[in-house]
Amino acid sequence: MGWFSGSYDNYQFTMFAASHLAVIVLLIAAVIATYYFRHSFSASWAKTLERLFALSILSAEGIYHIWMRVNDDWRLSHALPLELCSISLFLTAALLLTRKKIYYEIVLFTGLLGASQALFTPFLHFDFPHFRYFHFFFTHVIIFWTPLYFTWTQGYRPTIYSVAKFMIFLQLLMPIILLVNKTTGGNYMFLSHKPESASLLNILGPYPFYILSLEMIALSLSLLIWVVFKQRSRQSRTEQQSYEHSVGS
């Protein structure tokens, strides 16, 4: 089963090749379709969809760890679910299963900022049709898509306090990740050094100054996301309440 092996000799991934562009096109199509059909999600159908996607990404992540074990690639230095997107995956699943806004307030920012970076400049060795290709892009697409889905179809909106919660979440998370990196020799969240592949970090200065630059960028972009997605007016609230009433009836 070459598609499940640990060798990428026959599956070398190339950024912006056809297999990569196909994912980007599908992502854009999914986002447009979700917005266009945002009033067509019935309550029962929406909950079924949410549970399906939650179980799908959790299953994909579980199989990914099995894959690493089978190929003798599971190491404390890189296999723990401590990358921002790995943490986002579990938060996304929690949001899909519980619909609690606290998860939305984190995933909105980690999904749109972190997962988008991973989708457009992926740190990936395995190309289509390898298992790792499907795992990587499927999970990141769901992480990116989920907060948009909850914003447009369920009426969730961030507040300025959502930005504060996200930044506090990062500040609490970073010391833990730094300690794990020092203990395991890992580079979770790229807090030890920059990734080998092309990324935004390449223009943010040397270590450790790029971490401070990332903090400022995260704050600035989070404020921008808040401005774009915050509740606009009494009219929009009224429209949302009317939609929720029609769905519930």
Side-chain angles (χ1 to χ4, degrees), residues 107-127:
V107 173
L108 177 67
F109 303 111
T110 60
L112 298 188
L113 298 179
S116 62
Q117 164 78 357
L119 286 166
F120 286 95
T121 58
F123 182 56
L124 180 66
H125 298 302
F126 298 91
D127 205 345

Side-chain angles (χ1 to χ4, degrees), residues 25-41 45 49 145 148-149 152-153:
V25 170
L26 288 173
L27 173 65
I28 294 172
V31 169
I32 293 174
T34 302
Y35 182 79
Y36 184 80
F37 295 106
R38 63 191 182 279
H39 297 317
S40 302
F41 287 79
W45 189 83
L49 180 71
W145 171 84
L148 296 178
Y149 160 81
W152 292 332
T153 74

Side-chain angles (χ1 to χ4, degrees), residues 1 10 47 59 121 125 145 176 186 191 200 203 215 218 243:
M1 296 193 302
N10 298 322
K47 287 186 177 180
S59 297
T121 58
H125 298 302
W145 171 84
I176 299 172
L191 292 181
L200 174 66
I203 62 174
E215 290 260 41
Y243 166 63

Side-chain angles (χ1 to χ4, degrees), residues 52-151:
L52 176 63
F53 279 137
L55 294 176
S56 295
I57 59 175
L58 290 174
S59 297
E61 187 69 4
I63 296 171
Y64 172 52
H65 283 266
I66 293 173
W67 173 77
M68 286 190 287
R69 285 288 189 182
V70 167
N71 291 286
D72 194 28
D73 190 41
W74 203 99
R75 302 287 186 277
L76 287 175
S77 60
H78 68 262
L80 297 174
L82 294 178
E83 299 290 0
L84 188 59
C85 285
S86 298
I87 297 169
S88 298
L89 183 148
F90 291 103
L91 293 175
T92 298
L95 172 59
L96 288 165
L97 291 171
T98 69
R99 292 187 167 187
K100 289 186 177 180
K101 191 176 180 182
I102 184 61
Y103 299 126
Y104 167 83
E105 291 178 299
I106 303 299
V107 173
L108 177 67
F109 303 111
T110 60
L112 298 188
L113 298 179
S116 62
Q117 164 78 357
L119 286 166
F120 286 95
T121 58
F123 182 56
L124 180 66
H125 298 302
F126 298 91
D127 205 345
F128 178 90
H130 195 276
F131 157 76
R132 176 65 173 134
Y133 167 90
F134 289 105
H135 164 264
F136 181 92
F137 283 116
F138 174 70
T139 55
H140 283 87
V141 164
I142 298 302
I143 292 169
F144 182 89
W145 171 84
T146 295
L148 296 178
Y149 160 81
F150 273 93
T151 300

Side-chain angles (χ1 to χ4, degrees), residues 2 54 86 161 196:
S86 298
Y161 299 108
E196 298 175 1

Side-chain angles (χ1 to χ4, degrees), residues 3-21:
W3 57 271
F4 202 72
S5 72
S7 172
Y8 55 87
D9 292 340
N10 298 322
Y11 300 93
Q12 187 69 45
F13 179 80
T14 302
M15 198 179 301
F16 300 120
S19 59
H20 185 200
L21 293 176

